[in-house]
Amino acid sequence: MKFQRIQDLRTDADLSQKQMGEILHISQRSYSHYETGTRNIPVEMLIRLANYYNTSIDYIVGRTNDKTPPKSCI
């Protein structure tokens, strides 16, 4: 499953894959695998991404189009 939304969020934030890898404490290559869907994103990493972008995991994985995190996540 390709995760287009994490690529879109990253490019909207004007970040490179290398910068995102550094933020998440993973290699650029690992991050690239997440974007392309060649590797599943671990739940811990989904949480980090959602927290970093101030959105929900549901938005990242395409279950909702609402970027706003639920109030319980704020």
Side-chain angles (χ1 to χ4, degrees):
M1 173 180 191
K2 183 174 178 177
F3 290 95
Q4 183 65 44
R5 289 200 172 161
I6 64 169
Q7 182 178 1
D8 294 342
L9 288 165
R10 177 182 57 78
T11 57
D12 288 349
D14 294 324
L15 296 168
S16 67
Q17 287 183 345
K18 182 178 182 191
Q19 289 170 312
M20 235 11 254
E22 290 170 359
I23 290 165
L24 299 171
H25 305 289
I26 60 173
S27 69
Q28 176 274 326
R29 187 174 180 170
S30 291
Y31 184 80
S32 174
H33 286 301
Y34 296 155
E35 281 191 4
T36 61
T38 56
R39 187 177 296 165
N40 287 327
I41 304 174
V43 173
E44 176 186 336
M45 199 59 58
L46 285 170
I47 292 168
R48 286 185 193 178
L49 286 163
N51 287 341
Y52 182 80
Y53 291 120
N54 193 33
T55 192
S56 68
I57 292 172
D58 283 343
Y59 177 76
I60 291 172
V61 299
R63 292 189 64 200
T64 183
N65 291 324
D66 184 2
K67 286 185 180 181
T68 308
K71 290 185 186 220
S72 62
C73 293
I74 296 176

